[in-house]
Amino acid sequence: MSMHAWLPLAVLASSLVPGLVIFALPESWIGLRTALNLLGALVKLVLVGLLLAGVAAGEQYGFRHAVLPGLELAFKADALGLLFISLSAVLWLFTTLYAIGYLEGAPHRSRFFGFFSLCVTATMGIAMAGNLFTFFVFYELLTLATFPLVVHRGTPAAMHGGTVYLAYTLAGGAVLLAGIVWLHHLVGHTEFAHGGIAAALGPQYAGQLRIVFLLLIAGVGVKAALVPLHGWLPRAMVAPAPVSALLHAVAVVKAGAFGIVRIVYEVYGVEFAQSLGLLFPLAVAAAVTIVWGSLRALFQDDLKKRLAFSTVSQVAYIALGVALFGPIGTIGGLVHLVHQGIMKITLFFCAGNYAETLGLHKVSELSGVGRRMPATTLAFSIAALGMMGAPLTAGAVSKAWLIEGARAAEMEWVIGVLWTSSLLNAAYFLPILWRAWFRPPPAAWPDEHIPARGRRETAWLLLVPPLVTAAAVVVAGVFAAADWSPLAWAKLIAAREYVTPQ
Amino acid sequence: MIEWLSMGLLLVGAGFFFAGTLGLLRFPDVYSRLHALAKADNLGLGCVLAGLALTADSLAAALKLLLIWPLALAASAAVSFAIARRAQALGIAPWRREERQE
Amino acid sequence: MADPLVGLVLLPLGWATLAFVLGPGRGAWAALAGIAAQAWLAWLLAAQVGAGGTARHAVGGWGAPLGIDLAADGLSAALLLLTQWLALGVALYARSYFAAGDPARRYFWPLAGFLLAGLNALFVANDLFNLYVTLELVGLAAVGLVAAAGGERQIAAALRYLFAALAGSGLYLFGVALVYGVYGTVSIATLAPLITPEAPRLVWIAGGLMALGLVVKSALFPFHFWLPPAHGGAPAPVSALLSALVVKASFYLLLRLWLGPFAPLAPAAAWLPALLGAAAIFWGSWRAIRAERLKPLIAWSTVAQLGYLFLIFPLLAVPAAFGAGVMQVFAHALAKAALFAAAGVFIQATGQDTVAGLAGAAARLPVTLFAIGLAGMTLAGLPPSAGFLAKWQLIEAALALGHWPIAVVALAGGLMAAVYVFRVLRQAFCLAPAGAPVAAVPRALEWTAFALAAASVLLGFFGVDLMTLIEVRA
Amino acid sequence: MTSGLLFALVGVALFALGLAGLVLIGDVLRRILAFNLMGSGAFLVLVGLAQRNGVPDAVPQAMVLTGIVVAVAATALALALARRLDAQREGALPEDEDG
Amino acid sequence: MMVLVFDGLLACALLWSAWRALATPRLDRAIVFFIAFGLLMSLAWARLSAPDIALAEAAIGAGLTGALLLDAYGAISRRKGGK
Amino acid sequence: MTTLAFLVALFLLANLVVALIAAARGPTSADRMLMALLFGTTGTGILVLLSATGMGTALVDVALVLALLAAISGIAFAKRAWQAEENGHD
Amino acid sequence: MKRLAVFCLACAFVVLTGGALIELGPAAIDLRGQVAAQLAASGVSHPVTAVLLNFRGYDTLLEVAVLLIALLAILAVTDKPPAAPVPAHPLLQAVARGATPAMILVAVYLLWAGAHRPGGAFQAGAVLAAAAVLLHLVGLLPGWGAPGLRLRLGLTAGFALFLALAAALLSQGALLQYPPAAAGTLILVIEAGLTVSLGLILAGLFLFLSRDEGGET
Amino acid sequence: MKRSLLLRGAAFALLWWVLSEGRGDGWLLGSAAVIAASWASLKLAPPAPPHLRLTALPGFLRFFLWQSLAGGVQVAALACRGRAALRPGFVELSLALPPGAPRLFFAGILGLMPGTLGVALDDARLRLHVLDTRLPALAEARALEAAIGRLFGVAP
């Protein structure tokens, strides 16, 4: 087995092995656990870097293992996968740092970090899946590994949230499985390939392929939280903040969105999907989700719930970008995969900081928090502005490309949707910012566990990650034209998907 | 001659068996029925065995047939005694003719 | 042993006898040594079959139809392998499980030995009447193991089980009698070319009765009534053996006859077992979801999981269906043994058998909890477990033949399994009630349960090897 | 009609009788009897059907001997269980398994 | 003809005793019918030219099964009677 | 001779059946136990007669065993199973 | 209702199977010829014994295991030590005393006869067991409690001998493949061992179970 | 003791000869059987004082056969006449025979004799059931007692 086969496996192992070891560690071995966590995250970053360099140099990375005759676990590292891998690997490092600070002194930390690492492993698997079967394997693993994190606190609310989460995702998994087996039966394999694999079938299969598409999208749509399959997401917000941050900004919902991308581009092939008339319904579903999520977010007082509905809305941008036939929309969707990730994780980090430092959970309690926690609130503001699509932020870039894409695809109504969404974004974020910066603080905070000492507003492990990611939001927006920006990357991918590069 | 004797014994044996069955059918209580079985049937068996032994191939075979009889007798004696004793212990009264019929 | 085929039958008979003579303490060592040797023999046999095709042995040197032939094709070799290795795990578990004074321990080893001998003999038998004897061997040993626990519930369950087993084997024997009457032989190899679709009516009756008997013994709905009390009431190692192996034995036999000598008649009835299997999945899962106590929950889950095995009958035209059946046998055997083993750990730790009682214990027994989780993955058919591969093949076979309702049943059954599995897991994550006492449990118990569960998941990566082995057909 | 065929027919009837008894009867001892009748029926069919041309056949006879041993073993086990159950239960009715 | 009558009679006796063993209301009697059935079976085996089985059936039926059943019945009914 | 033996055997079988029915209809449990006695005698007789009709001398062995063991079930009945009659007439 | 349904089903089954039975033609294979042809090589001259211990000896081996299992299971569920037996009436005891030696003799005879005429280990064991049952019933032989080492050895000896011989014969090429010259002797040795063990096992089925709880005669 | 052993051994050897139908090839097993049977016999029924007198055996057998035939005929006759002919009842008899084998032998044989059936034997009292109380059952029982006394060489 060559280096080219080992590297993808090593990327998986760099979080799997520490995770398994952490499970076995006694609760009190904090130092070793922390070291393992960070070591895993750093090693993974290095490995991802190697992969990036290799792929950029035109190397092919892949690994295959047959589990049944005609059925293989396949891994490959391509540009699209690497986009997702890099995002996850980087954010994992920050989230780990954040989680170490957040969970200081909490019970069952070995269990928490163990499953946390498993989640990352599953996410890596999803990103590197070389066929739909492998994608599904890790997709289900992700469900299983996140469940213990959702119910981590063991309270009745956590139990309820976990149950709802499982009900949605397992049912979605079953539907997805049905679609995959069907596809496997029709095509004989489920490889991800440029231009898709379904197009090879004759026109007499069009009907079946439409049903399969519906099954597949419904399956991944659960995790991507497409309306009406989004019901689990707000309820899963009972999880600890790092979980909400990583999983509901990056891993889980992105896994769904990423699945939609893979299915449309590499299973059906965007041209073939368009010819079957599948993209338009997808666009409609995404549009409905965008508007509905934003509307619901407007009426949430619970901060994390408001963020969760915002996620519902924002993740659908990706699906929307994919559904806009044409390279520009694609670029918008793909770049939003990254941009939404860094923006939303910043927001969740900040929400976690408010809750952990001052016991603030509700929007209505945030009055004047900007004075008590200026750095956190600054990061929150940047990310929120990004979400609205304010200039110089990452959000502006993705929205701009999406609007262009819609115009190019001659779907002007989408532009309306995007503008409506932006307005609604503003409507649910601006009051928070206003309240945080300009309203007077209360006499006493509800539950202040970390006292302000000098210039330090909270534990530095909680503060650094949101600041870094907030900075990233700005950098991604300002340097969007650079060679190494997510945008450039998305262009590269789109160029490969559409035979005629722009 | 032996042939005829043997056949005769078989028929007599059958007759005793018949009598035993008749007794079983007609006798009024368990004790009397035990009489019928223990005596008539055993005698019937004895006759049949003797009849067959007469025509047996060898002396040993004949003795083997005759050997069955004491075994059956012992079994009958033991079982009828056991049943009668148990019946009596459980207080089953023997049937008695109604006095006025005499 | 020169011939692994024979050694696998003689060895357990030998050590079971020895274990009886030696008594429970030293008997355990005889048993462990014997099972380890069997595991090695099974491995040899699998290698031999994989390389050289079906292994045969003519007992007494006569050859069928006068004598009895033993034969192991890929399916037999695979099941033998499963049986020995699983038994090794359960034996290690049982050695730590039974306390010195436990009445269930007195005759556990000899009975388990005879049970294994019966199973092995069943898997290598190639003669209908010999199969009857092995069925009785397995049935009576299983009943004895259930009854040995000695409580009123267990005895009642054992009695119910015994009658079901006897009715089943009686039906089978009657079928064998008819077959002998029609063809004058009971050797499967000799019979196979003789039975045609134009066979006399009696052969159809015989086949039906044998199938019915085997279905009763493998607890297919609605003949499952005996299973939950028996498997739910027995001591954990016994439940593990019974649920994992014993019910599979009669299914194996059914499959063997269905694909072998009775193949010309089989298509006529293919949908009946599938319908009953679907009913079993729904009813068993439903009862498992509703169960209050842990071991009955697992036992009802067995009822449901056995249902999958019978879904394959209308699909056997596609090779994937056969693979699905075997894979499900493996997956369920390992997972169910792990679950019962884990349940035994909880019972020893908390002294109670309720699902609610898990709330406190699970946090303190993480290895066992993991075992339940992994085994649960297999039962619910979640990837990358062996149960998932079974489900995959089943659905694929169903779609290939256009029988999509079977695929729907398989998917729905998986979801229902997930419901009862996560009902248990969820309880484990609940906050522990204060002060619930948790007794210390031997490490060996936890880790054997975990090893079995891990095996059920890891097997999901080695499906190709298993499928290659069972390709070797007589 | 030969004896073999006749007794095979009797065997079929006995088997059906025993099976019906096993299904319908609740009493344990009676079910044991029913099971034995069922077994006897199967044995009769095995030997009777094989000897329907009137010539004795040693193979099914040997099988029936084996079968009788098994039936005795099963009967004794069932009786042991029934007695133990009765001793423990002392007349109480079985509670149905929650399962 | 004679043979047929004999076999027919034996067959009827077999079926009758089997039926009585299942249908007689009292259990002790049912057991006795069953013992009778066993002995009739041994006659049937004799008629089927299977003396080996007849021997086994006679030895088991007369010597073991009957005693086992009667003993079990006694133990169970005594317990019922004692209550 | 053979024919006669068979006829007698048939007659004994008829006797046995009638006696069985009679014993079955008797009022006490002991009447049923008479059946065991019947087999010790009539059953043995039938077996030896069948043996004489050319069905093999082995049937004599069967008869021997039957006669030898006939006592057991009777004794078991009397000693173990036979309780007080539960209702007078039955 | 259920009763009626089962009754109808049973009747239908009898009619169907009976009808099919009557119209059955001759069997495709007749083993009688093969049994007769190989009888000389089997070591015994009685075909049933030849089938039971040679041609299908494997079945017999497993069948003894079934009996042992039943015994083990019975042992596993009975834990009360046996009560002292209630002696029966001296008359019955006398009959038992007289009958037992005869039973032993008959048992050995049956064992010996098995080689050339009906009889064999199982019948012999059953007669031996019947003797034990009789002695127990009249109170001359106490019931058995948990078996000691000697009894355990006795119960398993026959089976162990059979098993060991079967395994040893593997060197001949196959399980239970008797060398034709020694077949008769080996079968007799096996049968002798089985007679003792089967007698003990069958007796055990009764003696381990039996509890004399106050019936008397 | 030695005499009993020899006698019983011889009896069992004869029995074996009868059972094996005179075949000579089974003596190895046969002698084992005879030894086992003798051992069991001595163990179960150790020889006790009133010994059977072989010389008296033929006479007793004649008596027994004759009485047994008479008993059979009597019962047959009664059976043919139905219950009208019966006068059943219990009769008590005090035994003159010494306790042990003779007495038990008597009680057992009595059931095969005309008109009588032993019902209960306690110490020296025997309760009989007779089919017809008018028949001389007691006298016949006394005759049997005498015959058994002769057989065992003891005074009744």
Side-chain angles (χ1 to χ4, degrees):
Chain A
M1 216 184 281
S2 70
M3 181 70 189
H4 291 116
W6 276 115
L7 206 50
L9 287 184
V11 170
L12 286 179
S14 62
S15 48
L16 179 65
V17 173
L20 293 180
V21 176
I22 287 169
F23 274 124
L25 290 184
E27 196 59 40
S28 53
W29 293 17
I30 301 168
L32 183 57
R33 188 170 59 231
T34 310
L36 273 171
N37 268 324
L38 293 177
L39 184 72
L42 289 171
V43 167
K44 189 181 290 293
L45 268 184
V46 171
L47 292 171
V48 170
L50 284 175
L51 268 183
L52 278 174
V55 169
E59 300 280 345
Q60 301 281 326
Y61 293 97
F63 172 78
R64 308 182 81 82
H65 170 78
V67 294
L68 278 180
L71 192 63
E72 288 181 319
L73 276 178
F75 299 98
K76 65 172 185 183
D78 63 351
L80 177 59
L82 278 174
L83 184 71
F84 192 23
I85 290 177
S86 316
L87 175 72
S88 311
V90 171
L91 294 186
W92 183 36
L93 178 62
F94 290 113
T95 315
T96 303
L97 286 173
Y98 183 81
I100 290 166
Y102 188 85
L103 287 174
E104 204 173 321
H108 306 311
R109 274 174 295 169
S110 280
R111 190 174 86 195
F112 180 89
F113 281 108
F115 282 114
F116 203 73
S117 303
L118 287 189
C119 282
V120 174
T121 312
T123 311
M124 295 294 152
I126 288 172
M128 290 193 294
N131 57 24
L132 202 47
F133 168 71
T134 314
F135 175 85
F136 176 74
V137 169
F138 286 96
Y139 188 83
E140 292 286 67
L141 267 183
L142 183 60
T143 302
L144 297 180
T146 29
F147 171 73
L149 299 179
V150 174
V151 299
H152 184 73
R153 291 198 166 121
T155 59
M159 287 300 158
H160 182 239
T163 307
V164 171
Y165 172 61
L166 267 185
Y168 271 87
T169 46
L170 286 179
V175 173
L176 180 58
L177 176 63
I180 295 176
V181 184
W182 199 336
L183 186 74
H184 189 263
H185 164 62
L186 290 178
V187 182
H189 63 93
T190 57
E191 291 303 308
F192 291 144
H194 294 302
I197 55 171
L201 290 175
Q204 70 271 28
Y205 290 102
Q208 289 194 51
L209 283 174
R210 285 198 183 95
I211 301 174
V212 171
F213 188 80
L214 182 69
L215 290 174
L216 294 177
I217 294 299
V220 293
V222 169
K223 278 218 176 69
L226 285 179
V227 171
L229 308 173
H230 66 290
W232 60 273
L233 185 57
R235 291 197 182 88
M237 286 302 128
V238 292
V243 177
S244 308
L246 184 71
L247 303 179
H248 303 123
V250 181
V252 177
V253 289
K254 286 294 151 56
F258 183 75
I260 294 176
V261 176
R262 286 279 200 203
I263 289 165
V264 170
Y265 288 119
E266 303 203 343
V267 175
Y268 275 74
V270 69
E271 320 249 351
F272 185 61
Q274 175 74 355
S275 75
L276 288 178
L278 297 171
L279 293 184
F280 181 73
L282 182 59
V284 170
V288 168
T289 306
I290 290 170
V291 176
W292 177 253
S294 304
L295 276 175
R296 288 296 304 272
L298 208 49
F299 301 104
Q300 304 298 323
D301 188 29
D302 188 295
L303 181 58
K304 280 175 80 179
K305 281 216 169 129
R306 186 174 287 197
L307 294 179
F309 276 109
S310 161
T311 306
V312 170
S313 159
Q314 295 278 338
V315 170
Y317 279 39
I318 303 166
L320 183 67
V322 170
L324 294 174
F325 181 69
I328 304 176
T330 304
I331 293 168
L334 288 178
V335 79
H336 198 60
L337 187 83
V338 178
H339 289 170
Q340 191 270 347
I342 50 180
M343 294 188 291
K344 189 49 57 70
I345 204 168
T346 313
L347 292 173
F348 274 113
F349 282 157
C350 297
N353 282 0
Y354 293 142
E356 190 61 10
T357 313
L358 303 176
L360 303 176
H361 297 279
K362 298 221 158 100
V363 174
S364 51
E365 294 167 340
L366 288 177
S367 304
V369 76
R371 288 176 220 170
R372 167 68 175 76
M373 300 176 70
T376 302
T377 312
L378 178 67
F380 189 92
S381 306
I382 292 172
L385 288 170
M387 280 291 177
M388 287 175 258
L392 295 181
T393 61
V397 177
S398 16
K399 281 197 182 166
W401 281 85
L402 282 172
I403 289 170
E404 278 306 307
R407 198 164 285 142
E410 294 172 348
M411 292 164 83
E412 267 77 14
W413 57 273
V414 170
I415 301 172
V417 169
L418 288 170
W419 276 112
T420 314
S421 164
S422 291
L423 285 176
L424 286 168
N425 287 346
Y428 61 77
F429 275 127
L430 284 179
I432 301 177
L433 300 188
W434 180 76
R435 187 184 282 272
W437 290 117
F438 304 117
R439 289 283 288 270
W445 301 102
D447 183 15
E448 187 169 359
H449 351 216
I450 304 177
R453 263 191 276 131
R455 298 177 64 82
R456 207 193 76 170
E457 57 186 63
T458 184
W460 68 270
L461 273 176
L462 296 183
L463 193 55
V464 172
L467 288 176
V468 173
T469 50
V473 171
V474 177
V475 170
V478 173
F479 296 97
D483 282 347
W484 41 265
S485 75
L487 180 63
W489 209 338
K491 282 180 180 165
L492 183 76
I493 296 166
R496 289 194 187 168
E497 292 305 331
Y498 291 87
V499 186
T500 51
Q502 287 271 315
Chain B
M1 174 59 201
I2 285 181
E3 189 91 334
W4 285 106
L5 187 58
S6 155
M7 286 166 98
L9 277 170
L10 288 190
L11 286 175
V12 170
F16 276 117
F17 272 110
F18 179 71
T21 308
L22 210 58
L24 192 64
L25 281 172
R26 303 178 75 173
F27 283 173
D29 66 352
V30 67
Y31 303 100
S32 330
R33 282 195 280 266
L34 275 173
H35 279 279
L37 286 180
K39 293 180 189 65
D41 273 15
N42 272 319
L43 200 58
L45 180 62
C47 289
V48 166
L49 289 170
L52 292 177
L54 282 178
T55 58
D57 299 332
S58 65
L59 178 62
L63 284 177
K64 196 172 180 178
L65 279 169
L66 290 179
L67 176 65
I68 295 175
W69 198 44
L71 293 177
L73 283 183
S76 278
V79 174
S80 47
F81 180 78
I83 292 179
R85 197 175 117 87
R86 185 80 178 135
Q88 199 239 355
L90 288 174
I92 296 176
W95 175 85
R96 275 183 201 286
R97 170 176 297 280
E98 305 295 322
E99 284 305 314
R100 58 186 160 77
Q101 281 183 334
E102 271 192 55
Chain C
M1 297 281 166
D3 194 341
L5 207 58
V6 185
L8 281 171
V9 179
L10 294 188
L11 209 53
L13 286 177
W15 67 253
T17 314
L18 193 63
F20 173 54
V21 174
L22 290 180
R26 273 173 296 174
W29 288 110
L32 281 178
I35 296 178
Q38 282 162 240
W40 178 67
L41 281 182
W43 197 262
L44 281 186
L45 180 67
Q48 188 186 323
V49 169
T54 303
R56 291 176 192 286
H57 187 101
V59 178
W62 299 107
L66 179 62
I68 299 174
D69 275 2
L70 309 182
D73 60 0
L75 178 62
S76 307
L79 285 172
L80 285 170
L81 202 59
L82 171 72
T83 303
Q84 316 315 316
W85 285 92
L86 197 138
L88 187 60
V90 174
L92 287 171
Y93 180 85
R95 213 185 72 76
S96 310
Y97 183 83
F98 289 119
D102 194 336
R105 172 175 174 262
R106 286 184 305 166
Y107 297 101
F108 174 79
W109 293 109
L111 281 172
F114 281 122
L115 180 72
L116 283 179
L119 288 169
N120 291 351
L122 193 151
F123 291 138
V124 300
N126 208 19
D127 178 290
L128 292 182
F129 188 77
N130 185 234
L131 279 165
Y132 164 72
V133 179
T134 61
L135 273 179
E136 292 286 17
L137 209 55
V138 171
L140 291 191
V143 170
L145 283 169
V146 172
E152 184 190 323
R153 263 213 336 260
Q154 284 99 336
I155 299 277
L159 202 52
R160 205 195 280 203
Y161 183 12
L162 178 62
F163 279 122
L166 289 180
S169 50
L171 284 162
Y172 176 83
L173 177 64
F174 194 80
V176 174
L178 294 181
V179 168
Y180 187 86
V182 177
Y183 294 111
T185 179
V186 283
S187 154
I188 290 181
T190 317
L191 274 175
L194 294 176
I195 300 182
T196 57
E198 291 81 38
R201 192 147 49 105
L202 215 49
V203 180
W204 290 81
I205 297 175
L209 289 175
M210 288 164 81
L212 182 62
L214 293 172
V215 157
V216 170
K217 282 183 92 92
S218 39
L220 176 60
F221 180 90
F223 304 107
H224 63 284
F225 54 88
W226 56 266
L227 189 144
H231 290 199
V238 174
S239 306
L241 280 180
L242 297 192
S243 257
L245 298 175
V246 172
V247 281
K248 307 296 167 32
S250 34
F251 168 75
Y252 157 84
L253 185 47
L254 185 62
L255 191 62
R256 164 122 294 171
L257 296 179
W258 192 282
L259 292 171
F262 286 95
L265 315 182
W271 276 99
L272 195 61
L275 278 178
L276 295 178
I281 291 174
F282 289 120
W283 179 241
S285 303
W286 174 245
R287 292 296 303 262
I289 291 170
R290 298 288 307 265
E292 295 286 315
R293 291 186 300 128
L294 188 55
K295 280 174 69 183
L297 183 151
I298 305 172
W300 276 108
S301 144
T302 301
V303 172
Q305 294 284 326
L306 290 173
Y308 284 108
L309 297 176
F310 291 89
L311 289 184
I312 67 169
F313 285 98
L315 310 175
L316 283 170
V318 187
F322 179 61
V326 178
M327 192 53 98
Q328 171 69 10
V329 166
F330 269 71
H332 178 248
L334 291 167
K336 200 42 69 75
L339 272 185
F340 272 118
V345 173
F346 280 125
I347 291 169
Q348 287 214 343
T350 60
Q352 56 168 339
D353 182 21
T354 55
V355 176
L358 287 176
R364 274 164 262 184
L365 297 164
V367 178
T368 307
L369 182 61
F370 248 86
I372 292 184
L374 291 176
M377 271 171 76
T378 309
L379 290 188
L382 295 175
S385 65
F388 169 67
L389 292 190
K391 201 160 84 171
W392 174 281
Q393 285 175 299
L394 183 64
I395 297 173
E396 189 162 31
L399 290 180
L401 290 177
H403 298 326
W404 56 267
I406 291 181
V408 172
V409 169
L411 287 170
L415 286 180
M416 290 183 81
V419 172
Y420 59 74
V421 166
F422 281 101
R423 225 190 104 214
V424 174
L425 287 179
R426 184 178 175 272
Q427 198 62 30
F429 284 104
C430 277
L431 293 175
V438 175
V441 177
R443 276 285 178 81
L445 295 188
E446 286 207 80
W447 284 103
T448 38
F450 180 78
L452 286 167
S456 79
V457 172
L458 288 179
L459 181 64
F461 292 102
F462 299 98
V464 173
D465 306 279
L466 184 58
M467 292 302 123
T468 321
L469 181 58
I470 65 168
E471 282 293 293
V472 182
R473 301 284 274 276
Chain D
M1 178 180 281
T2 59
S3 311
L5 198 53
L6 178 68
F7 283 112
L9 287 174
V10 173
V12 171
L14 280 178
F15 182 82
L17 188 65
L19 191 59
L22 204 54
V23 171
L24 289 177
I25 296 174
D27 182 72
V28 178
L29 252 51
R30 201 77 72 130
R31 295 182 83 183
I32 295 172
L33 299 187
F35 151 71
N36 271 290
L37 295 180
M38 199 173 139
S40 296
F43 298 153
L44 274 180
V45 172
L46 186 53
V47 171
L49 196 56
Q51 296 181 177
R52 62 185 179 280
N53 55 3
V55 186
D57 186 348
V59 176
Q61 293 190 9
M63 288 177 185
V64 167
L65 275 177
T66 305
I68 287 178
V69 179
V70 172
V72 171
T75 306
L77 176 54
L79 282 173
L81 292 177
R83 291 177 69 158
R84 179 69 191 269
L85 184 64
D86 183 72
Q88 287 178 331
R89 181 173 284 169
E90 309 249 311
L93 282 173
E95 45 153 342
D96 206 48
E97 199 59 30
D98 134 71
Chain E
M1 178 58 205
M2 238 164 40
V3 175
L4 205 61
V5 171
F6 188 96
D7 288 349
L9 197 57
L10 188 51
C12 293
L14 271 173
L15 288 173
W16 174 77
S17 57
W19 169 251
R20 297 305 297 162
L22 291 187
T24 306
R26 280 194 50 177
L27 196 52
D28 54 343
R29 294 172 189 196
I31 292 171
V32 175
F33 277 111
F34 179 73
I35 296 172
F37 170 81
L39 297 173
L40 285 170
M41 274 298 285
S42 111
L43 288 183
W45 291 124
R47 281 294 304 137
L48 282 171
S49 323
D52 292 86
I53 313 179
L55 259 178
E57 186 86 45
I60 288 294
L64 200 66
T65 314
L68 264 172
L69 283 167
L70 288 170
D71 188 40
Y73 166 76
I76 289 174
S77 70
R78 255 197 299 282
R79 204 166 287 119
K80 289 222 170 70
K83 280 167 74 74
Chain F
M1 179 69 199
T2 309
T3 320
L4 180 73
F6 196 84
L7 271 176
V8 173
L10 179 55
F11 178 73
L12 289 199
L13 182 66
N15 257 306
L16 180 66
V17 172
V18 172
L20 278 180
I21 295 173
R25 284 176 35 216
T28 63
S29 291
D31 288 295
R32 237 74 59 218
M33 216 45 234
L34 296 180
M35 288 186 196
L37 268 176
L38 269 172
F39 276 99
T41 51
T42 320
T44 313
I46 295 174
L47 281 169
V48 289
L49 283 166
L50 284 181
S51 148
T53 58
M55 301 203 61
T57 52
L59 291 187
V60 178
D61 293 348
V62 183
L64 193 72
V65 170
L66 200 58
L68 201 55
L69 306 188
I72 292 181
S73 46
I75 294 178
F77 180 79
K79 185 134 189 291
R80 293 291 170 88
W82 192 6
Q83 312 296 309
E85 300 293 319
E86 273 157 31
N87 25 17
H89 67 93
D90 196 301
Chain G
M1 190 56 215
K2 187 181 170 194
R3 218 161 254 278
L4 189 68
V6 172
F7 179 76
C8 291
L9 267 176
C11 284
F13 170 77
V14 170
V15 169
L16 206 71
T17 315
L21 225 98
I22 288 171
E23 66 193 26
L24 196 62
I29 294 175
D30 198 336
L31 289 178
R32 277 166 273 227
Q34 290 197 42
V35 171
Q38 302 288 354
L39 197 56
S42 72
V44 290
S45 58
H46 179 50
V48 175
T49 308
V51 173
L52 210 53
L53 278 139
N54 198 335
F55 304 142
R56 297 186 70 92
Y58 179 61
D59 274 348
T60 309
L61 180 71
L62 295 184
E63 161 222 305
V64 182
V66 171
L67 262 183
L68 263 179
I69 288 177
L71 186 83
L72 287 171
I74 288 172
L75 282 174
V77 293
T78 47
D79 49 0
K80 264 194 309 185
V86 181
H89 189 273
L91 177 62
L92 299 184
Q93 286 195 335
V95 170
R97 286 178 213 271
T100 305
M103 287 185 181
I104 293 176
L105 210 59
V106 168
V108 180
Y109 161 69
L110 287 177
L111 163 67
W112 168 76
H116 57 89
R117 58 181 287 164
F122 177 58
Q123 290 87 341
V127 171
L128 279 186
V133 170
L134 181 61
L135 286 178
H136 176 72
L137 280 176
V138 299
L140 290 174
L141 182 69
W144 291 348
L149 182 63
R150 266 172 54 196
L151 186 51
R152 289 205 299 263
L153 279 173
L155 287 168
T156 51
F159 178 68
L161 177 72
F162 197 174
L163 193 65
L165 273 177
L169 290 172
L170 266 178
S171 61
Q172 295 285 315
L175 187 70
L176 280 173
Q177 186 167 17
Y178 306 106
T185 317
L186 284 176
I187 288 179
L188 190 63
V189 168
I190 290 175
E191 285 214 275
L194 283 185
T195 302
V196 174
S197 285
L198 283 178
L200 284 173
I201 294 173
L202 290 174
L205 296 184
F206 188 78
L207 293 180
F208 284 122
L209 268 182
S210 168
R211 297 279 178 277
D212 206 336
E213 285 154 340
E216 86 287 352
T217 276
Chain H
M1 185 71 194
K2 193 167 275 176
R3 181 180 160 274
S4 306
L5 181 63
L6 277 178
L7 218 56
R8 291 183 192 189
F12 289 133
L14 180 69
L15 204 56
W16 176 266
W17 180 74
V18 169
L19 283 175
S20 60
E21 292 179 17
R23 273 177 66 140
D25 56 350
W27 277 110
L28 192 69
L29 219 53
S31 42
V34 168
I35 291 169
S38 308
W39 175 79
S41 163
L42 285 179
K43 181 103 178 162
L44 284 167
H51 289 291
L52 212 63
R53 287 193 349 206
L54 288 181
T55 46
L57 201 56
F60 176 76
L61 275 182
R62 199 160 0 100
F63 172 82
F64 173 76
L65 281 177
W66 182 248
Q67 284 293 307
S68 161
L69 191 64
V73 171
Q74 185 203 36
V75 168
L78 284 171
C80 291
R81 285 160 56 200
R83 60 176 65 180
L86 294 182
R87 295 283 188 284
F90 285 130
V91 173
E92 300 262 341
L93 177 68
S94 66
L95 292 181
L97 283 171
R103 204 178 267 179
L104 294 174
F105 195 60
F106 171 73
I109 293 288
L110 205 60
L112 307 167
M113 297 291 104
T116 51
L117 173 73
V119 167
L121 172 65
D122 301 300
D123 297 328
R125 297 189 63 75
L126 179 66
R127 176 180 262 204
L128 297 178
H129 181 261
V130 295
L131 277 179
D132 191 339
T133 41
R134 294 164 301 184
L135 290 177
L138 274 177
E140 287 181 7
R142 289 291 172 209
L144 177 64
E145 218 177 1
I148 290 178
R150 276 195 301 281
L151 182 62
F152 280 95
V154 291

